[in-house]
Amino acid sequence: MDFNTLKKRENKSLMHTYGRFDIALDHGKGSKLYDLDGNEYIDLTSGIGVNALGHGHEALVTAIREQAGKLMQASNLFYTEPMVDAAERLADSTGMAKVFFANSGAEANEGMIKIARKYSADKYGPSRTKILTLKNSFHGRTVATLEATGQDKFHQNFYPFTGGFDYVEAGSLEDLKRMMDDPAVAGIMMELIQGESGVRPLDQAFVQEAARLAREKDILFMADEVQTGIGRTGSLFCWQQYGIEPDLTSCAKALGGGVPIGAVLAADKVADVLEPGDHGTTFGGNPLASAAARTVLDIVDQPAFLADVKEKGQYFMDRIRNLNKESVQDVRGLGLMIGIQVGADKVSEYLTALQKKGVLALKAGTDTIRLLPPLIITKEEIDQAVAAMDDVFE
């Protein structure tokens, strides 16, 4: 099928909720994608941080194929081995106690919110319900997680929101301490790298003080690792590089390597807050997604693999900085989660020009190009992408 025909069919049959690139993808292999016309692209998007092992990874494809032929869905009324295997892998690798499986990052974040509120309600009564998040955060697109998101542009059109959220200035210890003094606060949730708003790593001292205050006041500390989790930053979870131990952490995106799955990991303190009937999901922890997650964890959660992600991420950022282009205002990130600040008037122009050079990248915030390549990208592919940037950036 040709691109124009497909585009007309899409326009007729799908809601206009996305501003799509003018590319129709057909297949991929490793860190490369190919469109309907056979054009090749270096993929620096990985499905917005999902395809951690790239495209067509043999071990992952085999695991999915074998599980699909055996059992894809059973509901949570039954025990299945892949679900238990994946939960054990997550708990053993993090020191967390127990896992709840969901289907997406937004669902995982809502699960954390529910646990924080029930923990406080059980212990302190119904008035302790407020969840603090950070300004410029992003936590999802359900009604609750939109309200949790600390950006005014998301707080439109869908009133009434659920309420019960307030926003701390990221990096401001003064604002943090003032707002955590509120006796109504049950939890604080933060991305350690604010991805959607511009790939902005939080200051370590700020995060550690938030975790300390949370322990002191018995407020639950929740790490939203939907985008940063499962090896993206060079450790299985980003909080492992910040010297903290959250009460709850969420993950999704890369966990299934392309198959939808999300998870909430709970420390001992809150592992048994939810009881039968308090929370649930039809598809969460299904055998197909769990088999995919188990395979991704077996590959990613290895010291050599994670060290390689760190090393390639630093190499990538150093190569971009060495371009010495006036339009590159800042390069920031951790591991293979990288932001290139180029200015609001240049982002769209550069993304389009990179596509023409065979490189696919993303936008973050108003002025930043976001790079989320597959974790298996090679240095040769990084060099090719940087050569395209050298041609495109002024």
Side-chain angles (χ1 to χ4, degrees), residues 57-254:
H57 190 284
E58 186 175 346
L60 182 57
V61 170
T62 298
I64 292 168
R65 182 187 295 119
E66 290 179 354
Q67 189 61 50
K70 188 177 180 181
L71 183 66
M72 287 194 284
Q73 163 68 355
S75 88
N76 286 298
L77 299 175
F78 303 95
Y79 299 89
T80 64
E81 190 174 358
M83 173 180 65
V84 176
D85 285 347
E88 283 180 342
R89 291 287 282 104
L90 285 167
D92 291 347
S93 295
T94 59
M96 303 294 264
K98 292 185 179 180
V99 177
F100 174 87
F101 284 119
N103 308 291
S104 68
E107 283 185 72
N109 286 340
E110 287 214 7
M112 293 201 298
I113 292 165
K114 288 176 74 172
I115 292 170
R117 286 179 171 165
K118 187 171 188 293
Y119 173 81
S120 278
D122 289 347
K123 196 168 181 180
Y124 299 103
S127 63
R128 202 172 191 254
T129 59
K130 186 180 289 186
I131 306 296
L132 298 178
T133 64
L134 303 184
K135 293 178 181 177
N136 292 316
S137 61
F138 181 81
H139 297 291
R141 292 187 180 274
T142 65
V143 172
T145 54
L146 276 177
E147 178 73 356
T149 291
Q151 299 185 62
D152 288 340
K153 69 180 182 180
F154 289 103
H155 302 160
Q156 310 294 329
N157 305 320
F158 305 110
Y159 297 104
F161 288 104
T162 60
F165 297 92
D166 212 342
Y167 314 105
V168 177
E169 189 71 46
S172 172
L173 290 174
E174 181 182 354
D175 201 34
L176 175 74
K177 291 173 182 177
R178 177 181 63 81
M179 298 194 75
M180 289 186 76
D181 278 341
D182 184 345
V185 173
I188 180 166
M189 177 166 64
M190 61 178 69
E191 310 157 278
L192 300 180
I193 302 176
Q194 295 187 319
E196 192 279 337
S197 64
V199 192
R200 301 179 187 280
L202 297 183
D203 177 69
Q204 188 172 72
F206 174 81
V207 173
Q208 290 181 345
E209 179 65 4
R212 186 193 70 78
L213 287 171
R215 284 194 305 273
E216 179 183 288
K217 298 174 181 294
D218 200 21
I219 291 167
L220 296 192
F221 185 97
M222 298 175 278
D224 175 350
E225 296 247 16
V226 170
Q227 189 166 155
T228 52
I230 318 302
R232 174 58 55 187
T233 65
S235 51
L236 190 63
F237 286 93
C238 190
W239 56 260
Q240 293 168 318
Q241 297 185 57
Y242 271 76
I244 60 166
E245 294 182 359
D247 298 301
L248 296 162
T249 189
S250 61
C251 61
K253 286 190 180 290

Side-chain angles (χ1 to χ4, degrees), residues 276-289:
D278 284 339
H279 195 41
T281 170
T282 297
F283 292 105
N286 69 75
L288 183 68

Side-chain angles (χ1 to χ4, degrees), residues 333-379:
L334 197 61
L336 285 169
M337 183 174 180
I338 299 168
I340 310 169
Q341 186 173 331
V342 295
D345 59 332
K346 292 294 183 183
V347 173
S348 296
E349 174 190 334
Y350 285 168
L351 288 176
T352 300
L354 285 170
Q355 288 170 23
K356 292 177 180 177
K357 295 281 186 181
V359 175
L360 302 182
L362 299 162
K363 181 180 178 181
T366 59
D367 62 0
T368 299
I369 293 171
R370 176 172 35 164
L371 310 182
L372 298 170
L375 304 183
I376 50 87
I377 192 171
T378 65
K379 283 188 175 178

